[in-house]
């Protein structure tokens, strides 16, 4: 015969009638079972998942609004987390911005600009295709609202020195990665050997930065086609 579920009312009734026999083992088992049920319904915490959720939302917010216009409240609305949880992981807006610059922006550089060049014997057609896609539905979602790195850098004069240094570090990361691919192209004889990869990488990044600083709403098909045409002309000039 099954035992009735544990009841606080029944337990209190037993206390009020101390002469009644008490099955202490049954009460202990019932309390243990009650506690186990409570544990199984409690949602497990995942601090790393919460941190990533907040960081991704902050990256989106900064991409859309810039650092100065970024709103902590909008970040919280997107994540459904509390202000306490946000400040537990990122104690202050500046710390959150540091994390976006140091973690999200290098990943953006990899995903959008560098990884597509990995393993390519001739990187120049791939680089032309990256710019061609900017005017189509195949443009990377990370470029919605413009280049996030260019967006932050354009307001660098209003940022503190620590933020400016971190942004410059992302540019240096991009330049080194692109220069490495250009050097591989020289080794593969698809790029002239008389060019300096680091200098060419700097020029290409500055060129892309200038175009991507303009918001997508102000880039019509005519301006995009003109930029893509001249960009391809420059890249073709790098051939032996």
């Amino acid at each position: 015969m099954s035992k009735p579920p544990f009841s606080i009312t029944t337990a209190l009734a037993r206390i009020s009638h101390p002469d009644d026999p008490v099955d202490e083992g049954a009460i202990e088992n019932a309390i243990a079972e009650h506690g186990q049920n409570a544990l199984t319904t409690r949602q497990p915490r995942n601090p790393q998942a919460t941190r990533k959720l907040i960081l991704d939302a902050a990256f989106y917010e900064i991409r859309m609004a810039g650092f100065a216009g970024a709103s902590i409240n909008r970040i919280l609305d997107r994540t459904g987390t509390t202000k306490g949880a946000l400040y537990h992981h990122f104690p202050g807006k500046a710390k959150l911005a540091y994390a976006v610059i140091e973690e999200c922006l290098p990943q953006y550089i990899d995903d959008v600009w560098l990884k597509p060049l990995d393993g390519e014997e001739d990187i120049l057609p791939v680089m032309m295709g990256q710019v061609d896609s900017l005017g189509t539905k195949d443009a990377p979602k990370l470029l919605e609202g413009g280049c996030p790195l260019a967006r932050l850098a354009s307001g660098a004069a209003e940022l503190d020195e620590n933020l400016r240094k971190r942004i410059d570090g992302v540019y240096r990361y991009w330049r080194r990665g692109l220069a490495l691919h250009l050097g591989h192209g020289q080794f593969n004889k698809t790029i002239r050997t008389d060019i300096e990869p680091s200098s060419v990488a700097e020029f290409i990044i500055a060129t892309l930065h200038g175009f991507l600083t303009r918001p997508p709403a102000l880039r019509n098909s005519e301006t995009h086609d003109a930029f893509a045409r001249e960009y391809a002309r420059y890249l073709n000039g790098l051939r032996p």
Side-chain angles (χ1 to χ4, degrees), residues 104-124 126-127 130-131 140 142-143 149 169-184 197 200-202 204-205 208 212 231:
C104 298
L105 285 179
Q107 189 64 52
Y108 150 72
I109 296 300
D110 281 340
D111 291 346
V112 175
W113 302 110
L114 296 181
K115 283 184 180 177
L117 308 181
D118 288 350
E120 296 289 339
E121 185 169 337
D122 186 358
I123 64 171
L124 298 181
V126 180
M127 294 174 68
Q130 288 173 324
V131 167
L142 283 171
L143 290 174
L149 180 55
V170 178
Y171 275 112
R172 284 187 278 110
Y173 174 79
W174 188 359
R175 184 174 64 245
R176 283 195 301 267
L178 182 53
L180 184 63
H181 282 294
L182 292 168
H184 286 162
V200 170
E202 183 70 46
I204 289 173
I205 291 168
L208 290 170
L212 294 170
Y231 184 75

Side-chain angles (χ1 to χ4, degrees), residues 86-103:
L86 185 149
Y87 285 121
H88 170 74
H89 292 285
F90 308 100
K93 188 177 179 181
K95 295 290 186 183
L96 182 57
Y98 293 166
V100 167
I101 294 169
E102 293 172 348
E103 299 178 41

Side-chain angles (χ1 to χ4, degrees), residues 149-167:
L149 180 55
R151 184 85 185 245
L152 275 174
S154 63
E158 303 170 4
L159 305 179
D160 65 42
E161 186 63 20
N162 288 326
L163 283 169
R164 285 197 294 271
K165 286 181 178 178
R166 285 169 168 81
I167 292 172

Side-chain angles (χ1 to χ4, degrees), residues 12-93:
L12 290 174
R14 293 230 175 202
I15 293 173
S16 65
H17 298 85
D19 293 335
D20 292 342
V22 177
D23 187 349
E24 294 182 357
I27 292 177
E28 289 177 0
N29 290 338
I31 292 174
E33 182 180 354
H34 178 73
Q36 185 63 37
N37 289 338
L39 286 174
T40 57
T41 57
R42 186 179 301 156
Q43 293 297 320
R45 293 184 179 181
N46 190 333
Q48 289 305 312
T50 300
R51 184 183 185 280
K52 186 178 186 310
L53 184 68
I54 294 170
L55 193 60
D56 288 346
F59 187 32
Y60 178 84
E61 176 68 13
I62 289 173
R63 291 197 334 257
M64 296 296 107
F67 176 71
S71 165
I72 293 294
N73 287 333
R74 284 197 295 266
I75 293 170
L76 296 177
D77 288 343
R78 286 185 66 84
T79 59
T81 55
T82 64
K83 192 169 287 189
L86 185 149
Y87 285 121
H88 170 74
H89 292 285
F90 308 100
K93 188 177 179 181

Side-chain angles (χ1 to χ4, degrees), residues 195-233:
I195 62 107
E196 171 54 48
S198 183
S199 298
V200 170
E202 183 70 46
F203 179 79
I204 289 173
I205 291 168
T207 303
L208 290 170
H209 177 275
F211 180 68
L212 294 170
T213 301
R214 180 182 292 187
L218 300 179
R219 279 191 253 130
N220 57 33
S221 60
E222 184 179 350
T223 58
H224 171 264
D225 290 347
F227 177 76
R229 183 171 57 252
E230 294 307 313
Y231 184 75
R233 191 196 306 274

